[in-house]
Amino acid sequence: MRRVMSQEEGSALIVVMAVTGILSLLVTVSFAVARDSLAVADEEQNVHAALAAAEAGLDDYLFRLNNRDEYWQYTSANPPAAPDENRAFTQFVTIAGGDTDTNLVEGIGMYTYDVDNDELESTGVLRVRVTGCAPGPCGDPDSGPSDAQTWRTIQAEVTQESFLDYLYFTNYETLAPLAYVSYSSNTSMREQLIQWATNNCARRRWQRERPTTGRPDDTRYGCTEIYWGGQDVVNGPFHTNDRFRLNGNATWEGTASNSDPRTPAYDTTNGARPNFNGGSLRYREPLEMPPTNTVIKVEADHLTNASAEGCLFTGPTEIRMNANGTLTVESPYTKDSGPGCGTWTNGVDPAQTSPIPDNGVIFVQEIPTSTSNPNYSATCFAGNGNGLGYPRSNDVPTLPYNCRAGDAFVEGTLDGRLTIASANNIIITWHIDYEDEADDMLGLVAQDFVQVYHPVNSSGTNLNALPNHNATFTNARIDAAILSVTNSFFVQSWGRGNALGELSVNGAIAQVYRGPVGSGSGYSVSTGYNKDYNYDNRLSFTNPPHFIDPIAASWRVSRFAEELNG
C-alpha cells in the first residue's frame, strides 16, 4: 500500500538536506582555511628564517672584521682572497659557514652581504647590507627570490669602539705631571716635581705603591688627586680606566664604568656617595690611548702626502670659525699650508679667510728644524714670542706658550664638519658653537693639552686682555669632541681669580689625566668653572673627520634596521 508523505515529514527532509549542505560547505571551507593557514605558516616561518639568516650574516662579518685588521677594505668588488676566500661578498652561503652545494643547503637559510667603506676614513663608519634567504638553495643575489622563497635584508652601520662612546673618559684620575708647575715658582724644583710625578703617578691608583722619595706631605700616594664634587653632573656615558674619588655626592645620569677590578671601585671622603642614575657602576676593560695624533697630520701634510686634502699650518696659529662655513686663520710662521688654505708668502701675512678643507682636517705643526723645509724659521718674533698677541699669564699654573710650538688658538661658530689637531696644545680662546646642531661637528685633538684660555696677573686676578674680546671668558660654551692624546683638558690658572660660572661642554672629553677646571669645596666653586657636560649622542655612531681611535679597538654595530623587501 503506497504511503503518502505527511507535511511534517517533508519539512524534516528539507531541514536534513539543508543541514547536510551546510556541513559539507563548512568542511570545504575548513579544508581551505587549513590549507591557507599552512601556507601562511610556511611563509611566516620563511620570514623568520630569512631574517635569522641575515642576522647570522652580520655576526659572521663582525667576527671576521674583529679578527683581521685589514678586513674593512673588502667589498663585493674587492672580495678577500686566500686563506679567507669568503664567498658571502658575491653569493649566498649557508649559516654554517659558506657551503653552496645544493645537496647541503636544501631548506636551509642562506645569506650574502656587501660593505660600503667609502666614508670610513671621514666618519669612521662602515655600512653593511646583509640579505638572508629561506629556504635554500638561493640563486644569484641580483636575480631576486623565487616564488617559494622569502628574502629579508638588514642594513647596519659598523664603527670601532671609540673614546667618543663616552661623554667623559680618562686613563688616570690624577693631575697631569706637566701641570705640577703649580707647586713651585722655582724652575729647578718644578722640573723635579714633574719628573717625580711622571715616575710615580702615571699608573692606576690601585697599582701605586707608597713612594720612597719625593714629596713627603702625602704618606699614601704623593700624587695630586682630582675629586668629583657634589655639584658635578655627568649627563652621558662615562668611563675611566682608573679608580675615582668623591668629596661630594656627584651624579652620573648615563652609564658609568671603570677598570678597577675591586669592589667598591671608588673612594669617598666626608661621607660622600655617588648617584648612579644610569645604572650601577660596572667594570669594563681599559681603552688604551694611541701614542700620537700624527695619523691626522698625514691627511693635512701635502709636503709628504700628495693626496692630502687638508690644511697644514706651522707654529702658533689662530683659527676663527665663521658661521658661513669659512675659517679665518692667522699663522705668522706659516709659509706653505697647502692648496686652498691661503697664500703665505713671507710668514708675516695678515689673517686670511678660506673654506673648510675638502677632507675637514687642519693640523698645526711645530716649526720644522730642517732648513730645507718650506716652513722653516730660524728665529722667533720679538715681544711675547708667539706672534698672535695672546699674553702669557704671570701666574705659574698657566703653561707658557712656545714660539716654535704647534699651538692652535681656536674659537667661533662652525658651519660644517672639521677636525683641528695640533702637535702641541689647543687653546680655546672664546665660545665654540655649531651653526646647525644637527649637521655640524668639530673634533679638537691635541698631542698635549686642550686648554680653556684664562690668563691672570701676578696677584691672581682675572685678566680681560683677550684678543678680539675685551671681557673675561665667563659661562664658556664649547661644542666639540675633545681629545688630549698625552695630557688633559683643563682651565688655565684654575685655582686663581674669581668664579667664572659654568663650563658647558656639549660633545665629549677624552684625556689621559684628569684636568681641573676650578677649585672650591665639595658643593661650590670659588675659582674657575662649575662643570656642565652634556653628551652629543651623534658621537655614538659617527665621528668628526679622521678622528683617532683607541689601540686595538673592537668593531661593533652602532645602528641597525631592517629593509623590507618588496
Side-chain angles (χ1 to χ4, degrees), residues 395-407:
D395 192 52
V396 170
T398 298
L399 301 173
Y401 308 135
N402 182 336
C403 71
R404 305 190 68 86
D407 288 340

Side-chain angles (χ1 to χ4, degrees), residues 443-518:
L444 300 176
V445 184
Q447 179 66 23
D448 291 326
F449 292 93
V450 179
Q451 309 175 25
V452 177
Y453 188 62
H454 174 225
V456 299
N457 61 22
S458 57
S459 300
T461 303
N462 295 336
L463 293 176
N464 289 334
L466 282 75
N468 310 311
H469 310 283
N470 187 26
T472 303
F473 194 5
T474 57
N475 293 318
R477 178 185 176 97
I478 303 170
D479 292 349
I482 297 168
L483 190 148
S484 168
V485 176
T486 59
N487 283 296
S488 61
F489 169 69
F490 79 111
V491 172
Q492 296 177 347
S493 305
W494 66 86
R496 303 291 200 279
N498 298 323
L500 298 168
E502 287 190 335
L503 174 61
S504 175
V505 176
N506 305 290
I509 300 168
Q511 56 193 348
V512 174
Y513 300 95
R514 281 284 302 276
V517 301

Side-chain angles (χ1 to χ4, degrees), residues 38 75-76 105 149 172 194 198 227 235 268 290 317 380 471 475 478-479 530 546 549:
L38 288 174
T75 64
S76 59
V105 300
Q149 291 174 332
Y172 303 117
I194 290 171
T198 301
Y227 292 83
N235 292 307
T268 66
T317 299
C380 290
N475 293 318
I478 303 170
D479 292 349
N530 278 314
H546 298 274
D549 294 308

Side-chain angles (χ1 to χ4, degrees), residues 208-465:
R208 297 183 206 149
E209 297 178 357
R210 178 175 174 174
T212 56
T213 61
R215 295 173 58 215
D217 56 327
D218 186 330
T219 57
R220 185 179 182 192
Y221 296 118
C223 302
T224 300
E225 306 296 335
I226 301 176
Y227 292 83
W228 290 89
Q231 77 284 351
D232 292 336
V233 178
V234 182
N235 292 307
F238 164 92
H239 177 75
T240 175
N241 291 340
D242 207 349
R243 179 184 183 88
F244 59 87
R245 304 181 75 179
L246 303 99
N247 68 351
N249 298 346
T251 299
W252 283 262
E253 295 292 354
T255 59
S257 60
N258 72 352
S259 301
D260 186 348
R262 302 174 303 174
T263 302
Y266 55 85
D267 294 322
T268 66
T269 60
N270 304 321
R273 292 291 181 268
N275 298 309
F276 294 122
N277 293 339
S280 300
L281 181 68
R282 63 199 69 179
Y283 174 84
R284 188 180 183 91
E285 290 293 326
L287 294 178
E288 300 299 338
M289 193 75 72
T292 72
N293 62 1
T294 53
V295 66
I296 302 177
K297 183 180 180 181
V298 172
E299 304 299 328
D301 189 357
H302 67 287
L303 298 173
T304 59
N305 176 19
S307 61
E309 297 178 333
C311 294
L312 178 71
F313 298 107
T314 301
T317 299
E318 180 184 74
I319 302 168
R320 297 193 301 275
M321 299 172 290
N322 305 314
N324 63 357
T326 63
L327 305 171
T328 300
V329 178
E330 184 173 357
S331 189
Y333 296 93
T334 293
K335 299 172 184 176
D336 185 354
S337 58
C341 302
T343 302
W344 311 86
T345 57
N346 57 15
V348 293
D349 299 273
Q352 299 189 45
T353 299
S354 60
I356 292 174
D358 290 342
N359 67 353
V361 172
I362 287 175
F363 193 91
V364 180
Q365 67 172 351
E366 297 178 333
I367 296 177
T369 57
S370 171
T371 57
S372 63
N373 191 295
N375 288 299
Y376 170 78
S377 292
T379 60
C380 290
F381 289 109
N384 69 12
N386 64 16
L388 293 173
Y390 288 94
R392 293 177 176 174
S393 174
N394 292 322
D395 192 52
V396 170
T398 298
L399 301 173
Y401 308 135
N402 182 336
C403 71
R404 305 190 68 86
D407 288 340
F409 297 77
V410 182
E411 64 179 64
T413 298
L414 174 66
D415 179 12
R417 295 173 66 93
L418 177 67
T419 292
I420 300 173
S422 70
N424 298 103
N425 304 313
I426 292 177
I427 299 94
I428 299 168
T429 54
W430 201 248
H431 306 285
I432 294 175
D433 53 17
Y434 296 144
E435 193 277 331
D436 185 339
E437 293 184 1
D439 295 330
D440 305 330
M441 184 172 286
L442 175 66
L444 300 176
V445 184
Q447 179 66 23
D448 291 326
F449 292 93
V450 179
Q451 309 175 25
V452 177
Y453 188 62
H454 174 225
V456 299
N457 61 22
S458 57
S459 300
T461 303
N462 295 336
L463 293 176
N464 289 334

